[in-house]
Amino acid sequence: MSESKPRGVRPPAKEARKVPMRDFSQSLPMALLRAREAVMRQFRPNLRAHGLTEQQWRILRALAAVDAIEVTELARVAFLLGPSLSRILRDLEARGLVQREVDARDMRRGVLSISTKGLKLIAQVAPNSEAIYATIARRYGARKLAALHKMLGELEQSIGGGGETDAGGDD
């Protein structure tokens, strides 16, 4: 029996393929993903040390900013798809970090809030998180970081951001 190449795998091209679009290295979604990954590499060890994933932390941070929030609104502000959010919330509820109640005005809707235990966890994570922010600001430059935040906000506003809840992106 002879060995065959896996289906769909081709040997590397000798010349770069010409495609009718910008070079992959100039892809804005990819540049943003690379920058996000570089930033998150700084934060992940701190989150892991406290038994948190990036998505769990995102949810806790979003909940800490409000008294209570409806589940679909939390999915929107945390940029998570509904099925992912449901799975993550089950874990956070089991750990006693979030609380779910029925909306008094509409019994079909669930309203979430962060628990006292969740706030205590944020207080434990926060000092290292703020130290990481300070390191990033020192290495990149505080003014440049503030300008980057401003420019990213302007980019989001100019192209009508905020509608999608899938954190990935391709171009």
Side-chain angles (χ1 to χ4, degrees), residues 27-44:
S27 161
L28 179 58
M30 289 306 301
L32 291 168
L33 286 169
R34 285 190 304 270
R36 179 190 185 281
E37 180 57 28
V39 170
M40 289 311 302
R41 266 195 303 270
Q42 310 307 303
F43 287 96
R44 279 190 199 110

Side-chain angles (χ1 to χ4, degrees), residues 17-37:
R17 292 206 166 104
K18 301 293 181 198
V19 293
M21 58 191 310
R22 70 184 66 239
D23 188 77
F24 186 63
S25 66
Q26 296 301 305
S27 161
L28 179 58
M30 289 306 301
L32 291 168
L33 286 169
R34 285 190 304 270
R36 179 190 185 281
E37 180 57 28

Side-chain angles (χ1 to χ4, degrees), residues 38 41-42 131-142 144-145:
R41 266 195 303 270
Q42 310 307 303
I132 294 164
Y133 272 111
T135 298
I136 292 169
R138 188 178 65 252
R139 290 170 64 186
Y140 184 65
K144 284 171 55 177
L145 189 56

Side-chain angles (χ1 to χ4, degrees), residues 38-99:
V39 170
M40 289 311 302
R41 266 195 303 270
Q42 310 307 303
F43 287 96
R44 279 190 199 110
N46 184 39
L47 296 177
R48 283 193 198 117
H50 291 91
L52 293 168
T53 66
E54 295 170 43
Q55 295 83 4
Q56 290 170 335
W57 179 244
R58 217 182 312 164
I59 290 167
L60 292 175
R61 292 276 284 134
L63 290 174
V66 297
D67 288 331
I69 191 169
E70 201 269 328
V71 176
T72 55
E73 179 64 8
L74 178 60
R76 188 188 68 75
V77 300
F79 278 86
L80 290 166
L81 296 173
S84 296
L85 178 61
S86 295
R87 178 182 43 78
I88 296 164
L89 286 173
R90 273 194 306 270
D91 181 59
L92 293 175
E93 284 181 273
R95 292 170 63 185
L97 300 174
V98 301
Q99 302 167 158

